Amino acid sequence: MNTVPDWLNAALPPAARNAGLAVVRLGDERGLGKGGLKLTSPAFNAGEELDPCFTANEEDAVAPPLEWTAPPPGTQELAVIVEDATSDARCHWLVWGLSGQRGKLLEGEVPPRTGKNALGNSEWLLPDLPIGETHTFVFQLFALDLPLTLMPGASRDELLAALDGHVIASALLVAQYTPSKDGEDDWVDDEF
């Protein structure tokens, strides 16, 4: 599929509309937000900036925390896919094996099962961008009608194949990140 469907265009800001996103292949209009399914983060609101503590711009950076509401009845398992919509849907995180109920991943928590990100590692791929360049990250939550038998370390393609035909609901959360020069904060040093 080379285009983003209209139902998804309405749910995503222009910078996040990338036909390579997993939700383009796996989601549908009826399943988006089905049963009130919603994905949020206590670390940022939808459309806001990721804190540098979740990126390669800070030492000891970790994955951001995520929370979700109860999925629709019949959900057996949940999966999360995070992709950079600005970089050809570059995969930053593949997570599955999450219980099919309301839940959360804490900041820096190691999920039960993870797959290989764009660099081939089974962890949160820290956004590492040129100074001043803005990228848009799409956090995608999928509710599944069966538990996956996929082993940890699977590739994005393997996970997408396992999810295909089993997604009953989805939810999206979008964040941006624009790195700035070190020491460039919101304060002004007029007093010095």
Side-chain angles (χ1 to χ4, degrees):
M1 180 178 285
N2 295 328
T3 60
V4 176
D6 290 341
W7 63 268
L8 194 52
N9 275 332
L12 291 171
R17 296 175 187 160
N18 184 314
L21 292 172
V23 71
V24 172
R25 174 176 166 181
L26 301 171
D28 63 34
E29 186 172 13
R30 293 176 312 168
L32 186 63
K34 183 177 179 180
L37 183 62
K38 188 173 182 182
L39 180 63
T40 60
S41 176
F44 60 90
N45 291 322
E48 286 186 350
E49 280 282 309
L50 279 177
D51 189 282
C53 71
F54 306 123
T55 74
N57 289 72
E58 282 201 11
E59 286 186 36
D60 302 325
V62 295
L66 298 173
E67 298 179 353
W68 52 88
T69 59
T75 300
Q76 299 293 309
E77 184 174 317
L78 296 167
V80 173
I81 298 176
V82 183
E83 296 170 308
D84 180 349
T86 310
S87 292
D88 297 325
R90 184 176 196 211
C91 182
H92 281 259
W93 212 17
L94 297 173
V95 177
W96 65 94
L98 301 169
S99 178
Q101 59 191 13
R102 178 181 177 177
K104 61 184 168 183
L105 285 170
L106 301 174
E107 183 174 312
E109 180 178 348
V110 177
R113 292 193 174 154
T114 58
K116 293 182 176 150
N117 60 35
L119 294 182
N121 301 316
S122 292
E123 57 193 30
W124 167 248
L125 176 57
L126 300 170
D128 190 9
L129 308 174
I131 292 172
E133 188 172 308
T134 301
H135 282 227
T136 303
F137 298 88
V138 182
F139 294 74
Q140 303 155 91
L141 176 69
F142 299 101
L144 312 175
D145 64 3
L146 60 91
L148 297 180
T149 57
L150 201 58
M151 296 302 292
S155 70
R156 178 184 182 271
D157 288 342
E158 291 169 329
L159 179 58
L160 293 184
L163 296 177
D164 203 9
H166 298 288
V167 174
I168 59 175
S170 61
L172 305 172
L173 175 63
V174 176
Q176 294 188 330
Y177 182 59
T178 308
S180 59
K181 293 179 185 171
D182 288 339
E184 228 181 67
D185 292 323
D186 292 333
W187 59 275
V188 179
D189 60 351
D190 289 342
E191 296 177 20
F192 296 103

